[in-house]
Amino acid sequence: MTTLYYVLLVLHLVGWAIVLGGVLATMRERTLPRGALHGILTALVTGVLMVGLASSGAADVGEPDNTKIAVKLLVAVVVTALVVQGARKPAKVTNGLLGAIAGLTALNVAIAVLWR
């Protein structure tokens, strides 16, 4: 199960990279990248699965910090809502929306790395 955990971790990071890279690449055009919705859903689902594996003890990675996980989940849900809003109403995509998505994505990565 530890191997599965690390495969999910790679997919989780790829999902966040798709969102951040795609948004930064399309900011000048004020469009939501095509893969942003799939990227954020991948990041969200794999994150939940990773926490489940770690919490159950099935993966030998230690017990997760529930406060950190709650903050990361909140940020991920907000990013998901912003991406869904942008996907449903492409005419309302602004630099502010794209900046919020990029900023919150970077915040989530920073929380993952810096919160010890």
Side-chain angles (χ1 to χ4, degrees):
M1 287 294 181
T2 303
T3 302
L4 175 61
Y5 177 88
Y6 286 112
V7 168
L8 290 171
L9 176 61
V10 169
L11 291 173
H12 184 71
L13 295 174
V14 167
W16 283 114
I18 289 169
V19 175
L20 183 59
V23 166
L24 291 177
T26 62
M27 273 189 122
R28 287 191 181 195
E29 292 87 34
R30 290 188 184 138
T31 60
L32 194 65
R34 299 177 97 193
L37 183 61
H38 297 289
I40 192 59
L41 292 177
T42 298
L44 190 61
V45 169
T46 56
V48 169
L49 292 173
M50 286 169 38
V51 171
L53 280 175
S55 294
S56 71
D60 188 24
V61 293
E63 191 68 26
D65 181 352
N66 290 326
T67 306
K68 175 181 173 181
I69 298 303
V71 171
K72 285 183 55 60
L73 180 62
L74 177 65
V75 173
V77 168
V78 171
V79 172
T80 303
L82 293 173
V83 170
V84 168
Q85 176 188 355
R88 285 190 179 166
K89 298 180 181 178
K92 297 206 176 202
V93 174
T94 64
N95 281 343
L97 177 72
L98 294 173
I101 293 169
L104 289 171
T105 300
L107 173 66
N108 217 4
V109 171
I111 290 169
V113 173
L114 300 174
W115 188 323
R116 295 283 171 199

